[in-house]
Amino acid sequence: MICTIYSHQLGLERIKEILQSNITNAKISNTKDDDESDIIEIEIKEGILNAAQKLVISYRERAVPSYQIPEIDDSALTANLKGLYGFVDSLPTANEKVKDLFLQKILTINCEFSITQETAEVKDLKSIIKNIANELDAVLFVEPDTVISKSKGQHFLDKNLDLIIDTEGNCEIENLDVKINSIYFDGDQSELTQDQMERKENNEKILETHNIKINRNLPCIESESETTLRTPKEIAQRVSVLAVVNLVAFNSISPEEATDYLQNYKLWEFTTEKEKEFLANPTDDKKANESWKCEGIWVLMWALNKIDTLDFPNEFCDIENIDPDDYPVGEDKDPTIFIDSITAIRSKSEILDANDLYYRFNWACVDERINGREMEAINPGIVYERQYALNWLINYMEQDWDYITCDT
């Protein structure tokens, strides 16, 4: 086997089209095997005296395509994806951000297909695989010593055949796009409420003022009636944990002190698994990644009315500008007092306004990146972290903090 390719897009017919456009003199047949997987056989004959070349692709998809893995195994692929997620989650990594994005991408996978070269070496096989991967925005599981291998052990590649992660934690990319087909989560855009339309229009004017590219086709986010915000207590608990973990990221306290603090003040149960993993092994790379959560803290403190404005995302926030009396943690400070004092948050309208704006900011940032340009008007990292926190605030797709996606 050369590789196994995974994609959010359902691509059997598209795979056939790509094969036909990339391989001349190819005879392509399609059958099903005993477990109902589609088998595509590609036989290539070049000249009377040359041996035929043969590729076999085994394709299967989820019973119910989605953007999340269901708890119930509705298909063999669903069960396999759970194992894949666990395997990747267990790997060491040199880039926590890319690993987190990869885990998010695994949750969205809807189809899987393996490519095996059975007889003779297929000409331009690397280009063919890359074209398929690009067309389907795919990720690939690859064995060593193949035409596309990038590691001496089992490893994963992105759609450009660059290394996402291997069993030793190596990584050669800085970002990984996570895209979800809007049919899985966008509401009916033909029945928009007034607040949705006004929100989109007002935020597009903000982008226009700052000369930031606008995607007029980007849909409206959820309406106020469709949205259930996190409770004041939930937000207060989350920002309290973040504030403690952030102190470790900036070397203000040791991980042991942070763990003791969280346990002593009954916050350990609100600490996520990834935060606990960080505290158990806070490497410099993990600290650098965790330090970005300042922007998430800033958003949550804004939601709690502890700061007046989020400010434009072209400069980093400064947590030290928050009044210490309003901050949840500190030396000899009981965060329970802060949590119990929080009884109200900003209005649903205000939070959705911000969420919609950062959704559009992030689309513009992603568009610049994939087109090889640098975003100058705003900082993409700040935008991402703030959208992350805002998506959590509005219960976006009911995702927990560790698994928030910032879809565009």
Side-chain angles (χ1 to χ4, degrees), residues 24-27 43-53:
T24 57
N25 305 318
K27 180 183 177 183
E43 189 171 347
I44 309 149
K45 183 72 174 175
E46 295 184 350
I48 298 174
L49 300 178
N50 294 326
Q53 305 159 24

Side-chain angles (χ1 to χ4, degrees), residues 297-354:
I297 293 171
W298 192 257
V299 168
L300 299 189
M301 293 296 284
W302 169 81
L304 296 175
N305 281 303
K306 298 301 182 181
I307 57 175
D308 294 331
T309 178
L310 287 178
D311 294 328
F312 196 67
N314 60 342
E315 293 184 1
F316 295 103
C317 69
D318 188 347
I319 299 297
E320 293 186 1
N321 286 338
I322 301 175
D323 188 332
D325 292 336
D326 288 332
Y327 206 61
V329 302
E331 189 175 357
D332 299 324
K333 192 170 186 178
D334 183 351
T336 307
I337 297 172
F338 171 84
I339 293 169
D340 291 343
S341 73
I342 303 297
T343 58
I345 59 175
R346 288 186 184 273
S347 70
K348 190 180 290 185
S349 176
E350 285 180 281
I351 292 173
L352 285 172
D353 285 349

Side-chain angles (χ1 to χ4, degrees), residues 187-203:
D188 185 354
Q189 296 286 306
S190 66
E191 297 183 3
L192 296 171
T193 62
Q194 189 67 28
D195 72 274
Q196 287 176 290
M197 292 186 290
E198 289 180 355
R199 185 169 291 117
K200 181 177 188 289
E201 182 181 352
N202 292 337
N203 284 333

Side-chain angles (χ1 to χ4, degrees), residues 90-130:
S90 71
L91 295 177
T93 182
N95 191 319
E96 287 289 338
K97 177 185 174 183
V98 169
K99 180 180 174 180
D100 285 347
L101 289 170
F102 186 30
L103 289 170
Q104 291 176 24
K105 199 170 183 75
I106 290 172
L107 297 176
T108 74
I109 290 170
N110 282 324
C111 77
E112 166 200 89
F113 53 99
S114 62
I115 299 179
T116 304
Q117 185 172 246
E118 290 205 341
T119 58
E121 185 174 330
V122 176
K123 184 180 178 182
D124 297 326
L125 179 58
K126 183 174 181 178
S127 295
I128 294 168
I129 292 174
K130 187 173 182 179

